Amino acid sequence: MDFGSFAEGPLLWIVFSVFIIGILARVVFFFSLILKSSKNTHLRWRHILATFGRSLLPFHSAITKRPLYAALRYVFHICLIVVPIWLSGHITLWEESRFGWNWHALPDALADWMTLLLLLLAAYFLTRRIVVAEVRRISANSDYFLIVLTALPFLTGYLLTHGNLDAIAFLADNMRTIHVLSGEAMLIAAVLLFYRTQLNVEKCTGCAACELGCPTGTLESRDGGGLRVFTYSHYQCICCGACVALCPEQAAELRHEIGLERFLQTVPKQEIRSVELALCESCGAIVAPVPQVEKVRQVITDDFIRFCPKCKKRHSAEGFHQLAPWAKKLKKQISHQ
Amino acid sequence: MAKMLLVDYEKCTGCRLCELVCSVKHTGASNPSRANVHVVKWEDEGFYLPMLCQHCLEAPCRSVCPTDAIYRDEELNRIMVDYDLCIGCKACVAACPFGAMGFDEAEKRVIKCDVCDGDPLCVRFCDMKAIDYVEATTSHFDKMRDASRNFAELMAKAHGQ
């Protein structure tokens, strides 16, 4: 048996079983996490499920931030799922397999257009990632790799049905193998596909609204030693996008990430950002993170932001205290004694 | 005519009953640290001043809110928080010069005076009426304006400007 028929035969079945078992395992992990979290007082499984469900719909709140980009991403993922499953060529293969399964196929023309759309979008995402400096800064190699990996089966599949690549003999001969192999790689990647929130250091003010909004307690912050430290427990993230939707600075970004360690849940909590805290000038209590204080200072004119709420009360009451005529008199008497 | 909360420090006895009833009304727990009103005391001089939200016309909390969750309710002449829009960034807590904006650690949200929807409990329980809920007449506004002018001068002096 040559490699091509191995990739289309036994390897394909292995990949399918790994994919199905892996996805089932992740569903089990997801529900065990929900049950564990529901013991915590402010994380409730109803809330987690609702946030997760909302994140799957096209009109959830993260979209209002960047509507066009979100819509493109949504279309991309629809094509990504629909085309391979309802492609007439794939269905024929299922029919010929030992199961003899059969279902309605997409019209070929529509499948073609969806494939082209997906390739176009993949090209756009890749270019955007390379060209836009802001995005490039926060991109890792795996981000580029993932886009290419996702587009490859579609590109080869399209060339298989339409292409005329006889000029490049190697490609033409092995196109089918490349198509199957890249498709298999994509399925494996889908099982190991996780998400990670990144906080853009230049935009993030450290207000920790994302921590309050995170339904699974993935993002946490802890204040201590004049610093607010944000930690991220990777395997808990359900990619609901609550942090992206909430962030008033648009500093939170969700990224795809492939990792076996995260599937095995062995990744420890990771520190993703630490912000310096402004402390109250009179009592040393925490006021707010320094970037947030600077941002608030741009809007307000008074100087009370140097103090914590408790000392602010004291200091502004002190103003009225000095205004009170009888108190002034009394003070004088006390100081005389 | 809209009404407003008027504080008279000369009447306050420093009993802090307002703090207790406020926290009971808003959180169900008798815990002054979760109340929206706080009495600042100078015990040796017998000067007690209940500090609460001034419902400012140009409210700093409202101007710093990134999601416009803080709005002015003209009907009751008050500043309110829309908890559906609030994301809990606590910018308002940092911005309020009176420290009237608080953060409730138990419920994980900001808290502020909402004049109990037109029937303030602190007023009902304050026998001395150190906090009173009165018609916002011109004379009361004049009093407030004078106080704030004096206050501004004093603060400018204190900060050496």
Side-chain angles (χ1 to χ4, degrees):
Chain A
M1 198 198 295
D2 67 334
F3 185 68
S5 51
F6 171 72
E8 283 175 44
L11 188 58
L12 191 61
W13 291 112
I14 293 170
V15 168
F16 275 143
S17 8
V18 168
F19 177 72
I20 289 168
I21 293 168
I23 292 292
L24 283 179
R26 283 188 61 173
V27 171
V28 172
F29 288 157
F30 176 62
F31 280 99
S32 68
L33 164 75
I34 286 179
L35 284 177
K36 207 165 58 187
S37 305
S38 59
K39 285 178 197 139
N40 200 329
T41 42
H42 82 279
L43 307 170
R44 293 184 184 86
W45 63 272
R46 236 177 240 279
H47 177 52
I48 297 177
L49 274 184
T51 322
F52 182 63
R54 253 201 316 276
S55 71
L56 295 178
L57 299 174
F59 39 79
H60 78 104
S61 48
I63 278 176
T64 52
K65 299 272 165 100
R66 273 167 298 180
L68 183 68
Y69 182 65
L72 291 182
R73 218 169 39 189
Y74 204 73
V75 170
F76 180 85
H77 284 97
I78 288 177
C79 295
L80 185 65
I81 294 166
V82 167
V83 173
I85 298 179
W86 280 278
L87 188 79
S88 61
H90 287 176
I91 295 174
T92 319
L93 288 176
W94 276 107
E95 235 175 333
E96 287 166 3
S97 73
R98 67 184 71 186
F99 295 115
W101 287 342
N102 183 15
W103 57 90
H104 285 291
L106 276 182
D108 280 347
L110 180 63
D112 278 350
W113 278 114
M114 284 174 87
T115 311
L116 282 180
L117 186 63
L118 182 139
L119 289 173
L120 203 70
L121 288 175
Y124 165 71
F125 291 145
L126 199 61
T127 341
R128 176 178 172 271
R129 205 162 272 286
I130 294 169
V131 173
V132 182
E134 195 178 283
V135 189
R136 189 175 55 222
R137 214 171 14 247
I138 52 172
S139 305
N141 286 339
S142 62
D143 292 321
Y144 302 104
F145 171 71
L146 198 62
I147 298 178
V148 174
L149 181 71
T150 315
L152 199 58
F154 290 86
L155 183 66
T156 50
Y158 188 79
L159 291 176
L160 263 183
T161 44
H162 300 271
N164 192 3
L165 283 176
D166 293 339
I168 318 166
F170 173 79
L171 268 185
D173 292 344
N174 295 289
M175 191 61 85
R176 198 177 157 104
T177 314
I178 298 172
H179 176 66
V180 174
L181 276 178
S182 56
E184 285 163 356
M186 198 180 81
L187 283 183
I188 298 292
V191 176
L192 302 179
L193 189 64
F194 285 84
Y195 321 95
R196 114 187 92 106
T197 303
Q198 282 202 330
L199 299 175
N200 190 331
V201 182
E202 282 162 36
K203 291 183 188 168
C204 174
T205 58
C207 70
C210 45
E211 184 206 6
L212 285 183
C214 184
T216 56
T218 305
L219 250 174
E220 285 175 309
S221 74
R222 189 148 294 150
D223 298 343
L227 285 177
R228 175 172 289 175
V229 177
F230 290 87
T231 52
Y232 192 73
S233 10
H234 278 281
Y235 63 89
Q236 292 186 357
C237 179
I238 55 171
C239 193
C240 63
C243 46
V244 182
L246 282 178
C247 184
E249 309 297 327
Q250 271 126 64
E253 295 253 0
L254 263 178
R255 297 245 155 273
H256 284 301
E257 191 179 63
I258 306 174
L260 187 63
E261 325 88 72
R262 289 189 56 188
F263 184 79
L264 299 172
Q265 310 201 354
T266 53
V267 188
K269 269 185 193 177
Q270 197 186 350
E271 186 186 317
I272 54 170
R273 173 150 170 70
S274 68
V275 203
E276 203 186 327
L277 288 169
L279 301 178
C280 174
E281 281 186 16
S282 48
C283 75
I286 295 161
V287 177
V290 170
Q292 190 179 28
V293 168
E294 277 162 15
K295 198 168 170 255
V296 171
R297 267 186 199 282
Q298 291 171 3
V299 184
I300 60 164
T301 47
D302 62 71
D303 212 19
F304 279 102
I305 198 160
R306 299 179 296 149
F307 305 116
C308 70
K310 211 174 148 192
C311 294
K312 272 196 274 198
K313 267 177 216 130
R314 187 93 206 167
H315 279 267
S316 47
E318 172 70 35
F320 293 108
H321 175 216
Q322 293 189 12
L323 287 175
W326 55 271
K328 230 183 264 174
K329 219 181 283 168
L330 205 69
K331 212 175 179 182
K332 223 175 265 171
Q333 281 174 10
I334 291 171
S335 59
H336 277 305
Q337 278 166 9
Chain B
M1 184 89 192
K3 295 176 99 175
M4 64 185 209
L5 286 166
L6 192 74
V7 174
D8 190 342
Y9 49 77
E10 292 189 36
K11 288 180 185 164
C12 182
T13 61
C15 70
R16 296 176 73 196
L17 192 58
C18 47
E19 295 182 16
L20 289 179
V21 292
C22 181
S23 65
V24 168
K25 157 101 196 206
H26 291 96
T27 65
S30 177
N31 181 353
S33 72
R34 294 170 72 183
N36 301 326
V37 53
H38 294 272
V39 182
V40 182
K41 298 189 176 187
W42 277 261
E43 291 282 11
D44 52 349
E45 295 164 33
F47 182 86
Y48 311 114
L49 180 61
M51 293 295 291
L52 35 76
C53 176
Q54 308 292 308
H55 300 279
C56 314
L57 283 176
E58 287 174 24
C61 53
R62 193 179 169 199
S63 52
V64 297
C65 183
T67 57
D68 292 329
I70 298 179
Y71 63 95
R72 180 161 201 95
D73 180 3
E74 290 296 345
E75 195 187 336
L76 281 168
N77 193 24
R78 60 179 177 173
I79 298 282
M80 288 290 284
V81 181
D82 185 342
Y83 287 109
D84 291 335
L85 291 175
C86 177
I87 56 170
C89 70
K90 295 184 252 180
C92 46
V93 180
C96 179
F98 300 101
M101 207 87 198
F103 189 76
D104 189 348
E105 287 293 344
E107 300 217 8
K108 300 272 174 202
R109 63 179 199 176
V110 291
I111 45 171
K112 76 177 290 302
C113 172
D114 61 352
V115 271
C116 298
D117 301 320
D119 180 21
L121 264 201
C122 48
V123 174
R124 252 206 277 169
F125 276 79
C126 187
D127 279 340
M128 304 303 298
K129 290 286 173 284
I131 308 178
D132 206 355
Y133 198 48
V134 295
E135 295 290 331
T137 53
T138 6
S139 63
H140 286 134
F141 269 127
D142 286 345
K143 225 186 243 178
M144 266 179 96
R145 198 173 298 119
D146 287 346
S148 61
R149 194 180 296 124
N150 290 338
F151 186 70
E153 276 170 21
L154 206 80
M155 282 299 120
K157 218 188 286 171
H159 295 307
Q161 284 158 347

